[in-house]
Amino acid sequence: MEQRNVIITGIQGAGKGTQSEILRDKYGFKHISTGNMFRIQYACGSSLGIEAHKYWSIGALVPDSITISLLKRHLSTDKNLLDGFPRTLPQAQALDDMLLETDRFITQVIALELSDESALQRIEIRQTCIHCGTVYGSAKQPALPNFCDICTAPLITRADDTTEKARTRIATYHSQTKPLIQLYSARDIVHHIDASLPPEQVAAHIVRALKL
């Protein structure tokens, strides 16, 4: 089977989670979201989750050593979709090293492009299910306000989705994560996608880019 190790990256609010769910449900990718994994670990009361919460609760990046330790447990042999990782150049190198251990490599990068202003508008109205992690916003609203369509659990505004913390995360994205585009562009594997379009149109562009 042809290996697929795809990174989906973009500013907070660009729709990485929404598009990842589509690729998971329709095309069989394993959706690996470090953010969701950390939230699950924190909800379970694990030491790793508690340590990670100290950082994401203030809008800061979780240290590489913690993130990489968690990621190693979840990489599958093929069709990985990495959402929210890597976010720094050292993480990108660590990811390359992990994949190389089993003769794998990053095959494609989906870069979702969205302005800072649009990202803030989306983040400010975003809600997340406290149980399954499903995200709702302007493009995807629950049938029953404040409750998840999938598991009926309550929806909350994440602690790191306040305007102040969102601005911090956006600044961190520009300083630490956006440089990764240059790294992967040098390998000629980056596909730039306009994330301001409706989700179904964004998905269609991604499917074409990945030749699914």
Side-chain angles (χ1 to χ4, degrees), residues 164-210:
E164 180 182 356
K165 290 177 182 177
R167 289 187 185 278
T168 298
R169 291 162 63 205
I170 287 172
T172 300
Y173 167 78
H174 285 297
S175 65
Q176 297 193 38
T177 305
K178 200 168 184 179
L180 294 175
I181 301 300
Q182 292 182 325
L183 172 70
Y184 292 118
S185 292
R187 305 181 192 179
D188 197 27
I189 57 173
V190 177
H191 304 280
H192 295 273
I193 306 293
D194 182 357
S196 68
L197 298 171
E200 61 274 11
Q201 292 184 30
V202 175
H205 286 301
I206 292 174
V207 168
R208 284 196 292 271
L210 297 179

Side-chain angles (χ1 to χ4, degrees), residues 4 28 49 58 72-73 141 162:
R4 291 270 193 168
I58 60 172
K72 282 183 176 179
R73 309 176 191 178
Q141 299 181 8
T162 63

